[in-house]
C-alpha cells in the first residue's frame, strides 16, 4: 500500500508473490500478466462471446416473433376485406351454382379463364426464374392499372406466398390477382390485355367468388364440413353427389389443418383440381370423391 514519506508518496514494495510473477526468470511469468490472470481473462472472453451469441439469438427470435405477429394481423386484414368485398358484390345472392356438381362442371371454364393469366405472369417475370419478386409484382399491378396501395401489395405478397420462398409462383399469382381484383373493385381494369381477355379473366374471378359464396352458407368467410353437407342437401336427390363427397377433398383444402377452409385455401385447391399447370388432369373432373 502507498505511504507518505515526508511530502512524497512512496509505493510499498511488491509482495514476494507478485515479485515472482514480475520476474521473467520465474516459470510462472507470462508476458502481460500471470498464467492465472490470462486464464481468467480467457474465461471472461468466452463468457462474453457466449453472452453475445445468446443475445443475438434472443434478438433474432424477437424479430421473427414481431414479423410473425405483423403478418398475422395483415392476413386477418386481407381476409376481412375480401369478405366485405364479396358481400358488397352480392356473390351470395347469385344463382349460378345450385350444387357442388354444378361447380365441378364449370372446371373447364375456370381453366380456360385462368390460363389467360399465364401470359401476364411470363411477361412480368422479367428474369424468367419462375417467380415474381416484390418489385416485379408492383410493376405488374401498376401496368395492369389495379389500384392498390403499397401496403396492400405487400400484404397480398406475403398472404399469397404459401411456401414462403420469397417469390410468387404462377399458381400463387393467380390467387393474388383474384384478390387484387376483388379488393380494388371491378373498375380496376387490366390495361395490358384485350378487352375480351380482360372480361374473361374478371368473369372467371367473379364465378370463383360465387362458388365459394355458395358453399359458405353462413357468410363468415370460411367453410367447414357442415357447409358442404348443406350444399349437398340443397340438390335434388337425383342430382346429388354421394354423401361421402366431403372428407378427403375437404382435408386437401384445409391446408393448415384448423378445421376450416378460407377463400385462399379454396382457390389453391381448385387450381390443383382443374390441372391449371398441366395439359392433362390427373384426376377426373366430373366428380369430387371424398370419404
Amino acid at each position: 500500500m502507498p505511504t507518505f514519506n515526508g511530502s512524497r508518496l512512496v509505493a510499498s514494495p511488491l509482495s514476494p508473490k507478485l515479485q515472482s510473477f514480475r520476474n521473467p526468470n520465474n516459470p510462472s511469468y507470462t508476458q502481460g500478466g500471470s498464467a492465472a490472470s490470462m486464464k481468467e481473462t480467457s474465461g471472461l472472453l468466452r463468457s462474453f462471446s457466449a453472452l453475445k451469441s445468446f443475445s443475438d439469438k434472443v434478438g433474432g427470435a424477437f424479430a421473427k416473433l414481431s414479423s410473425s405477429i405483423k403478418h398475422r394481423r395483415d392476413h386477418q386484414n386481407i381476409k376481412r376485406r375480401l369478405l366485405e368485398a364479396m358481400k358488397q358484390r352480392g356473390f351470395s345472392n347469385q344463382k349460378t351454382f345450385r350444387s357442388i356438381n354444378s361447380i365441378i362442371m364449370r372446371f373447364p371454364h375456370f381453366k380456360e379463364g385462368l390460363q389467360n393469366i399465364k401470359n401476364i405472369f411470363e411477361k412480368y417475370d422479367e428474369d424468367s426464374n419462375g417467380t415474381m419478386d416484390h418489385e416485379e409484382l408492383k410493376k405488374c399491378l401498376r401496368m395492369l392499372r389495379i389500384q392498390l396501395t403499397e401496403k396492400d401489395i405487400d400484404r397480398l405478397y406475403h398472404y399469397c406466398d404459401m411456401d414462403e420462398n420469397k417469390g410468387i409462383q404462377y399458381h400463387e399469382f393467380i390467387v393474388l390477382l383474384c384478390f387484387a381484383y376483388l379488393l380494388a373493385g371491378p373498375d380496376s381494369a387490366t390495361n395490358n390485355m384485350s378487352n375480351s381477355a380482360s372480361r374473361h379473366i374478371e368473369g372467371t374471378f367473379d364465378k370463383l367468388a360465387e362458388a365459394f359464396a355458395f358453399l359458405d352458407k353462413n357468410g363468415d368467410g370460411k367453410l367447414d364440413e357442415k357447409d358442404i353437407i348443406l350444399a349437398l342437401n340443397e340438390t335434388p336427390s337425383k342430382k346429388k353427389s354421394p354423401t361421402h363427397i366431403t372428407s378427403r377433398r375437404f382435408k386437401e383444402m384445409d391446408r393448415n389443418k384448423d378445421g376450416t377452409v378460407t377463400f385462399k385455401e379454396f382457390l389453391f385447391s381448385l387450381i390443383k383440381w382443374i390441372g391449371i399447370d398441366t395439359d392433362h388432369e390427373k384426376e377426373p373432373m366430373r366428380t369430387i370423391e371424398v370419404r
Side-chain angles (χ1 to χ4, degrees), residues 21 31 45 48 50 60 62 123 152 164 172 179 182-183 189 191 197-198 201 217 229 237 264 269 287 290:
F21 283 124
Q31 186 70 29
L45 288 174
F48 177 77
F62 274 114
K123 178 177 181 179
D152 279 343
E164 298 182 350
E172 295 169 333
F179 291 168
L182 291 173
L183 292 178
N191 182 53
S198 174
I201 290 175
K217 296 303 179 184
I229 292 172
S237 58
K264 178 176 72 171
S269 299
T287 60
V290 184

Side-chain angles (χ1 to χ4, degrees), residues 17-265:
K17 187 175 181 180
L18 288 178
Q19 286 179 351
S20 69
F21 283 124
R22 289 285 299 274
N23 182 1
N25 296 322
N26 189 302
S28 299
Y29 172 83
T30 54
Q31 186 70 29
S34 67
S37 176
M38 291 296 291
K39 184 176 181 181
E40 182 180 358
T41 301
S42 177
L44 287 172
L45 288 174
R46 286 196 298 270
S47 298
F48 177 77
S49 177
L51 182 61
K52 184 177 183 303
S53 176
F54 175 75
S55 177
D56 290 343
K57 289 180 180 178
V58 171
F62 274 114
K64 289 181 180 179
L65 178 61
S66 177
S67 177
S68 176
I69 293 173
K70 177 183 180 300
H71 287 163
R72 195 178 303 119
R73 289 174 177 171
D74 287 345
H75 293 177
Q76 291 299 325
N77 176 280
I78 291 294
K79 286 190 285 187
R80 176 182 55 78
R81 291 169 56 199
L82 282 172
L83 181 59
E84 291 174 355
M86 293 172 72
K87 287 180 177 179
Q88 290 175 0
R89 302 278 288 279
F91 291 127
S92 59
N93 298 325
Q94 302 300 318
K95 301 301 180 183
T96 302
F97 304 104
R98 297 181 180 275
S99 68
I100 291 180
N101 275 347
S102 67
I103 296 174
I104 297 169
M105 295 302 293
R106 299 278 304 201
F107 278 10
H109 301 281
F110 291 149
K111 183 173 183 178
E112 182 182 356
L114 296 179
Q115 281 181 327
N116 288 322
I117 300 174
K118 186 73 172 179
N119 291 335
I120 303 174
F121 181 82
E122 291 177 345
K123 178 177 181 179
Y124 291 98
D125 176 21
E126 296 177 348
D127 52 10
S128 300
N129 67 345
T131 63
M132 193 176 291
D133 62 32
H134 200 275
E135 291 304 315
E136 290 171 336
L137 176 63
K138 287 197 296 184
K139 182 176 181 180
C140 173
L141 296 180
R142 183 170 62 249
M143 295 302 293
L144 294 176
R145 294 188 177 178
I146 296 179
Q147 303 299 321
L148 292 174
T149 65
E150 293 272 343
K151 192 169 185 177
D152 279 343
I153 294 174
D154 183 66
R155 285 169 172 165
L156 285 176
Y157 182 87
H158 291 289
Y159 186 55
C160 295
D161 184 13
M162 293 292 282
D163 50 10
E164 298 182 350
N165 67 344
K166 309 302 182 185
I168 298 296
Q169 300 175 42
Y170 173 49
H171 65 293
E172 295 169 333
F173 179 69
I174 293 173
V175 177
L176 188 150
L177 194 60
C178 178
F179 291 168
Y181 163 72
L182 291 173
L183 292 178
D187 295 331
S188 190
T190 45
N191 182 53
N192 282 12
M193 296 181 292
S194 68
N195 288 335
S196 60
S198 174
R199 286 195 298 270
H200 198 178
I201 290 175
E202 292 175 359
T204 300
F205 289 157
D206 284 341
K207 296 306 177 189
L208 290 171
E210 287 179 30
F212 183 81
F214 166 75
L215 297 173
D216 182 17
K217 296 303 179 184
N218 63 2
D220 63 354
K222 52 189 178 183
L223 309 177
D224 56 29
E225 289 195 49
K226 291 181 180 179
D227 290 317
I228 309 299
I229 292 172
L230 286 173
L232 287 171
N233 291 335
E234 290 182 354
T235 307
S237 58
K238 291 184 179 180
K239 296 182 179 180
K240 279 186 181 180
S241 301
T243 55
H244 59 272
I245 197 170
T246 53
S247 295
R248 184 163 62 90
R249 292 293 184 180
F250 184 84
K251 289 177 181 177
E252 287 181 13
M253 288 191 288
D254 185 13
R255 296 170 68 107
N256 64 358
K257 309 304 177 187
D258 67 349
T260 60
V261 173
T262 63
F263 187 33
K264 178 176 72 171
E265 291 173 318

